[in-house]
């Protein structure tokens, strides 16, 4: 008992010096992390970033850009346009416009000159031909290099015709692309506007989603506070579980030891009750036989009987099976059982399980106050997004809808105009193609039907048709070229200036800078509209949107909306914190083991340690080792040596009695002795562990009791602090998410920049580029029609059938003889003789 108390004192000192601080630290820092929801749903999007159009019309863009760059090398006239838009016209401004457009004016002058001269020259050429001049006379001079000239003219005409055909193909493709662009423009424009509207409509939804997340967060904290008993009680239980569970488990184990000891003692007493009567009978019978053997061996006629007297000592059971009294141990076990040790453990477990209910009762008022604060906090957080300037989005979205309706209404007219433009382009291409076909037929038929040795007046019909096709192409060129040049001139002025004044500055953002000019558009100022101190312009907005920045950054909304102050909920969270800080959670203490139970356990341990189970086992072994059969065999041998029949018979009868007694021991006593031996060994094993088990109970229960006596309030306070910090941390995490979402994710404006880019692609890279490619291709054809006319006229005479012959032979010209009256004066003047 003194040893146990000394151990108890040493353990208590060790607890206060080292284990308690360690336990305090682990009970707070080792708790599970606060379950904060970090995976929130992605912001909604109801728009798509437009992709590039899937048809190509910019195959001639490099040539067009190079030509227009040469025609208009001047930079974008921002200042001039600003002055003109503000209605400040003067002579100087007109001069500046003309000077800026000098390249276009030169090209226009060339075009006008072409339009005027081409039909005039064609008329003069036709009249001259009718008079027999300009190659109109059907006679071809024969020279030594005539064939070389014909071949050179042929190759030059073929090359020029190929160039015209190439321009015609480009013209056809450009016309097709332009018509396709016009056809698709209503749908593309509607899609662009729909994406912009979808983007504008998504922003309020994203803001609403942020607000809904705030409701969810507040509801999570409210649910946690409503479940303060289970949640906080569980935390407190986790803080107490470390010391209490081992104590309760050790009490349960010692209760099982007590019950096991009681059971073994019952078995021991039962076995002894059965064994003692049989042992007493054995002793009586053995004593009687021993007395008879002793009498027989002392008879005078017994031969060698005195040598058997030492064997009589083996027949004595005096002092065997003299077991010690187990009343003390039985009494200690009974008292320990009556002390209801297991009931003490169950009582402690009931106390442990009742902690959540006690916490709920103790924090009921604090929870009600906190819930009221949370409702106010919910209203505060939901109002965060109400100050954002979302009405501007509605004012922008409404006109877009009207524009969509307007586009839809004029869409049939646009489709019709697309068909008309396609038909016009096809007709123009076919007219140019007609000239090309005439040239190619002339080249083909002329070569096919020409025999260089034939007389020019005797050329074949095939060759003559070739020459006629050349002249048909020339005539058709004169008829339509000036009209085509008029088309080129109009489209050049429109498309060229659209590219240089709209598309090119749109691409390099100079157009945005023009729009940003203060006062250019009355009432248009982003900074004023948003009440910003920063000078906000469209160029910067477009640049930020190309980088997919949020509206908060793009429009500098931090200048008009103090998000940090709106998200400052520290007042409410502080009140919630103070409410729970002032709450006192009192958990009534309990005594795990009463002094009476401890006394019974000490008594039980002492009684078990006083039992001498080794002596009992030795006695059992002595009884089990008794062998009466050996003595009986000695008596049988001794009886064989006797001459006296009566003595012999007596010895044999006594040997038989010993065998009978041995048989009774084996069949009746030995099983009980074996059972008794097993019971004693089990008791000895249990008894050897009782002292250590009881000591373990005292140590663990003492440790747990010290925690309950001196530290439970600190544990409750620490776990309550952790619980409230967890709820406040949920708010802090949510507010961080709100701040980051609004400032970094809401309204990422890449769709707006993509809509502008796609509009520029549709207008400039497809419509304007196709239009410019068309007039450049058509102008290309018109320029090469001039050498085509000249070459075709010259080459036609080499294939057409002449009326007059002119033969070169032996370095002399010879002509057919005609009457002098019919000879041309020029022939006589040249001294030529008639051909014979």
């Amino acid at each position: 008992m003194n040893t146990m108390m000394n151990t108890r004192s040493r353990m208590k000192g060790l607890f206060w010096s080292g284990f308690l601080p360690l336990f305090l630290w682990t009970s707070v820092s080792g708790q599970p992390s606060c379950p904060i929801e970090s995976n929130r749903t992605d912001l909604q999007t109801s728009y798509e970033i437009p992709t590039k159009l899937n048809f190509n019309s910019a195959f001639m863009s490099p040539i067009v850009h190079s030509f227009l760059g040469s025609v208009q090398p001047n930079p974008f006239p921002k200042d001039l346009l600003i002055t003109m838009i503000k209605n400040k016209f003067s002579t100087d401004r007109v001069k500046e416009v003309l000077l800026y457009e000098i390249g276009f004016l030169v090209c226009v002058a060339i075009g006008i000159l072409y339009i005027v001269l081409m039909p005039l020259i064609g008329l003069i050429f036709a009249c001259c031909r009718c008079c027999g001049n300009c190659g109109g006379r059907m006679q071809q001079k024969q020279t030594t290099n005539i064939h070389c000239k014909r071949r050179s003219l042929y190759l030059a005409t073929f090359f020029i015709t190929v160039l015209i055909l190439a321009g015609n193909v480009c013209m056809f493709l450009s016309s097709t692309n332009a018509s396709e662009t016009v056809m698709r423009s209503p749908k593309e424009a509607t899609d662009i506007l729909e994406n912009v509207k979808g983007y504008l409509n998504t922003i309020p939804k994203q803001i609403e989603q942020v607000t809904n997340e705030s409701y969810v967060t507040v509801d999570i904290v409210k649910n946690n506070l409503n479940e303060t008993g289970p949640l906080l009680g569980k935390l407190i239980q986790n803080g107490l579980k470390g010391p209490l569970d081992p104590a309760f488990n050790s009490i349960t184990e010692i209760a099982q030891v007590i019950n096991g000891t009681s059971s073994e003692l019952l078995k021991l007493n039962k076995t002894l009750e059965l064994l003692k009567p049989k042992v007493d009978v054995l002793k009586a019978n053995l004593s009687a036989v021993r007395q008879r053997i002793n009498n027989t061996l002392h008879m005078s006629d017994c031969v060698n009987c005195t040598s058997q007297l030492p064997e009589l000592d083996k027949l004595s059971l005096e002092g065997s099976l003299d077991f010690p009294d187990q009343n003390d141990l039985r009494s200690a076990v009974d008292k320990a059982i009556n002390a209801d040790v297991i009931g003490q453990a169950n009582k402690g477990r009931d106390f442990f399980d009742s902690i959540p209910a006690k916490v709920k009762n103790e924090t009921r008022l604090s929870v009600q106050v906190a819930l009221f604060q949370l409702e106010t906090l919910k209203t505060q957080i939901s109002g965060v997004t109400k100050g954002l300037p979302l009405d501007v989005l509605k004012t922008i979205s409404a006109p877009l809808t009207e524009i969509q309706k307007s586009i839809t209404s004029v869409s049939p007219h646009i489709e019709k105009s697309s068909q008309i433009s396609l038909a016009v382009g096809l007709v123009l291409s076919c007219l140019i193609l007609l000239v090309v076909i005439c040239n190619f037929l002339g080249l083909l038929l002329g070569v096919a039907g020409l025999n260089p040795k034939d007389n020019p007046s005797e050329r074949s019909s095939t060759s003559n048709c070739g020459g006629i096709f050349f002249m048909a192409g020339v005539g058709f060129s004169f008829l339509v070229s000036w009209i085509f040049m008029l088309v080129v001139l109009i489209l050049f002025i429109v498309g060229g200036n659209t590219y240089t004044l709209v598309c090119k500055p749109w691409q390099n953002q100079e157009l945005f800078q023009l729009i940003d000019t203060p006062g250019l558009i009355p009432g248009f100022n982003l900074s004023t509209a948003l009440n910003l101190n920063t000078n906000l312009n469209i160029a910067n907005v477009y640049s930020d949107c190309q980088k997919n920045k949020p509206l908060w950054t793009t429009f500098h909304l931090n200048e008009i909306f103090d998000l940090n102050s709106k998200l400052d909920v520290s007042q409410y969270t502080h009140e919630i914190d103070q409410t729970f800080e002032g709450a006192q959670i009192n958990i009534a203490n309990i005594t795990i083991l009463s002094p009476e139970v401890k006394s019974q356990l000490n008594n039980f341990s002492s009684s078990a340690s006083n039992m001498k189970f080794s002596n009992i086992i030795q006695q059992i072994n002595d009884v089990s080792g008794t062998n009466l059969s050996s003595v009986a065999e000695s008596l049988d041998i001794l009886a064989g040596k006797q001459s006296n029949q009566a003595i012999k018979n007596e010895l044999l009868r006594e040997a038989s009695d010993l065998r009978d007694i041995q048989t009774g021991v084996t069949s009746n006593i030995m099983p009980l002795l074996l059972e008794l031996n097993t019971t004693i060994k089990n008791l000895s094993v249990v008894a050897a562990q009782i002292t250590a088990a009881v000591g373990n109970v005292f140590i663990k229960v003492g440790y747990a009791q010290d925690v309950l006596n001196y530290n439970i309030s600190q544990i409750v306070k620490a776990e309550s602090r952790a619980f409230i910090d967890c709820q406040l941390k949920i708010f802090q995490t949510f507010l961080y998410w709100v701040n980051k979402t609004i400032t970094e994710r809401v309204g990422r404006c890449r769709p707006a920049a993509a809509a502008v880019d796609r509009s520029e692609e549709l207008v400039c890279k497809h419509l304007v580029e196709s239009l410019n490619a068309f007039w450049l291709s058509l102008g290309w054809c018109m320029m090469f029609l001039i050498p085509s006319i000249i070459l075709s006229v010259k080459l036609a005479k080499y294939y057409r059938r002449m009326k007059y012959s002119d033969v070169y032979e032996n370095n002399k010209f010879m002509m057919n003889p005609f009457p002098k009256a019919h000879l041309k004066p020029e022939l006589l003047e040249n001294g030529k003789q008639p051909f014979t």
Side-chain angles (χ1 to χ4, degrees), residues 259-278:
N259 292 332
T261 304
S262 176
S263 177
E264 293 298 330
L265 286 176
L266 289 175
K267 290 172 63 176
L268 176 62
N269 292 334
K270 184 177 180 180
T271 304
L272 289 178
E273 290 177 358
L274 295 175
L275 183 60
K276 284 183 178 181
K278 295 181 179 182

Side-chain angles (χ1 to χ4, degrees), residues 57 178 181-182 761-772:
S57 61
T181 302
V182 173
E761 182 183 5
L762 179 64
V763 173
C764 294
K765 292 184 179 179
H766 293 281
L767 183 59
V768 175
E769 293 289 357
S770 299
L771 183 65
N772 288 339

Side-chain angles (χ1 to χ4, degrees), residues 694-736:
V694 172
N696 183 52
V697 169
F698 287 160
I699 292 174
K700 292 182 178 179
V701 169
Y703 176 66
Q705 192 65 55
D706 286 338
V707 171
L708 293 176
N709 292 340
Y710 305 108
N711 200 48
I712 189 171
S713 60
Q714 288 85 346
I715 293 176
V716 171
K717 186 175 181 180
E719 299 298 349
S720 300
R721 178 75 269 164
F723 176 77
I724 296 303
D725 288 344
C726 175
Q727 310 314 310
L728 299 181
K729 192 174 182 181
I730 292 176
F731 275 113
Q732 293 172 358
T733 304
F734 166 73
L735 295 178
Y736 174 78

Side-chain angles (χ1 to χ4, degrees), residues 770-807:
S770 299
L771 183 65
N772 288 339
F774 180 78
W775 64 253
L776 182 64
S777 302
L778 184 58
W780 171 282
C781 295
M782 295 302 100
M783 289 295 103
F784 282 106
L785 279 181
I786 297 175
S788 174
I789 292 172
I790 297 172
L791 293 174
S792 295
V793 170
K794 288 184 174 293
L795 188 60
K797 204 160 193 178
Y798 287 91
Y799 296 114
R800 293 184 68 185
R801 185 183 295 125
M802 301 288 104
K803 293 181 179 181
Y804 307 102
S805 298
D806 190 7
V807 180

Side-chain angles (χ1 to χ4, degrees), residues 47-55 184 187-188 191-192 195 750-751 753-762 766:
Y47 56 85
E48 295 180 359
I49 296 178
T51 57
K52 290 185 177 181
L53 301 178
N54 56 2
F55 57 92
R184 296 187 57 175
K187 182 180 181 303
E188 296 294 336
D191 291 343
I192 292 172
N195 284 329
R750 180 68 183 91
V756 174
D757 293 340
R758 195 174 187 187
S759 301
E760 184 270 334
E761 182 183 5
L762 179 64
H766 293 281

